[in-house]
Amino acid sequence: EDQVTQSPEALRLQEGESSSLNCSYTVSGLRGLFWYRQDPGKGPEFLFTLYSAGEEKEKERLKATLTKKESFLHITAPKPEDSATYLCAVQALTGANSKLTFGKGITLSVRP
Amino acid sequence: DAGVTQSPTHLIKTRGQQVTLRCSPKSGHDTVSWYQQALGQGPQFIFQYYEEEERQRGNFPDRFSGHQFPNYSSELNVNALLLGDSALYLCASSNRQGRTNGYTFGSGTRLTVV
């Protein structure tokens, strides 16, 4: 069974203090690993998809990386508006558009 | 370009009642998936509809059922509601033929069972 574990559960940073969020996964053949941002009471907002080990993607202050066992979401010089819950999900190779298996998420708070 | 639209946004029901939630997918998408997100948890896959048929199902009881219409919109029905069904219900759409580049999620329906 596919599994996703995210750590830490919560992270409090000072504005400008860079850090990384971890996502460890086990999946029977990886089709893609997804990062989403979720604000309170809202649906997840797509950030990145990574398909193979060694791949990296960047968007503003965020950079996602992927290995065969885990993914990191690096946040450089965060701002208070980066405060949100960050969700990691994996999609297995079993069939087209197979389900996403999510972790519990990491709640990030950035203090001004 | 409208994204995924869900209705209603909030709903309060009594134990034992039945509820229907609705979803309109993003323009150009033909596949709809439903997820349940309990407070403090990640979304859990319920089922997926494509060409008006249920294609995949997660570990949810038969009380959870769905439907997809010819215009690709979808409904999620839950019978005999339990207190534990209280959650945010998310609809996600995608295009089955394209390489998945992130399912698009709606803002969800917050269901409270009392």
Side-chain angles (χ1 to χ4, degrees):
Chain A
E1 187 175 322
D2 304 337
Q3 276 194 309
V4 176
T5 303
Q6 294 188 249
S7 61
E9 289 186 5
L11 184 61
R12 297 185 68 182
L13 299 174
Q14 197 69 38
E15 184 172 3
E17 179 187 2
S18 301
S19 189
S20 296
L21 313 181
N22 177 261
C23 170
S24 298
Y25 66 92
T26 56
V27 64
S28 53
L30 181 70
R31 178 181 293 274
L33 183 139
F34 300 82
W35 282 98
Y36 285 87
R37 169 192 170 127
Q38 186 174 29
D39 292 304
K42 303 284 188 180
E45 175 189 344
F46 172 74
L47 293 174
F48 305 108
T49 310
L50 301 168
Y51 295 103
S52 57
E55 189 174 359
E56 298 182 353
K57 288 192 176 174
E58 288 188 66
K59 179 181 178 180
E60 296 180 0
R61 295 178 292 283
L62 301 176
K63 178 181 176 181
T65 62
L66 181 66
T67 73
K68 288 186 177 180
K69 293 183 178 181
E70 57 190 351
S71 176
F72 291 94
L73 184 64
H74 306 279
I75 302 179
T76 302
K79 298 182 177 182
E81 53 261 43
D82 295 322
S83 298
T85 295
Y86 290 86
L87 294 165
C88 172
V90 295
Q91 185 184 41
L93 279 169
T94 52
N97 271 248
S98 56
K99 67 176 183 179
L100 298 182
T101 299
F102 283 86
K104 291 184 177 181
I106 297 170
T107 301
L108 173 66
S109 299
V110 182
R111 302 188 301 276
Chain B
D1 178 28
V4 177
T5 305
Q6 291 188 243
S7 63
T9 54
H10 295 84
L11 205 51
I12 299 175
K13 288 287 188 178
T14 303
R15 273 182 301 174
Q17 285 188 316
Q18 178 264 345
V19 68
T20 298
L21 311 181
R22 296 177 175 82
C23 171
S24 293
K26 181 179 178 178
S27 177
H29 285 182
D30 56 10
T31 301
V32 173
S33 302
W34 287 91
Y35 289 79
Q36 179 195 67
Q37 187 176 24
L39 207 59
Q41 302 295 314
Q44 297 282 316
F45 175 74
I46 303 175
F47 43 53
Q48 182 185 88
Y49 277 84
Y50 170 67
E51 290 187 332
E52 302 178 49
E53 288 189 19
E54 183 182 293
R55 300 291 180 169
Q56 300 176 59
R57 189 177 183 93
N59 190 24
F60 279 81
D62 292 344
R63 298 187 297 109
F64 290 77
S65 63
H67 189 77
Q68 186 179 35
F69 299 93
N71 67 353
Y72 308 121
S73 67
S74 177
E75 288 182 349
L76 164 65
N77 301 293
V78 187
N79 293 322
L81 284 166
L82 304 174
L83 294 179
D85 295 332
S86 295
L88 181 68
Y89 288 84
L90 296 164
C91 172
S93 71
S94 58
N95 185 313
R96 196 168 190 85
Q97 298 306 317
R99 189 179 194 190
T100 302
N101 192 29
Y103 287 68
T104 302
F105 282 83
S107 293
T109 295
R110 171 69 63 187
L111 173 65
T112 302
V113 182
V114 297

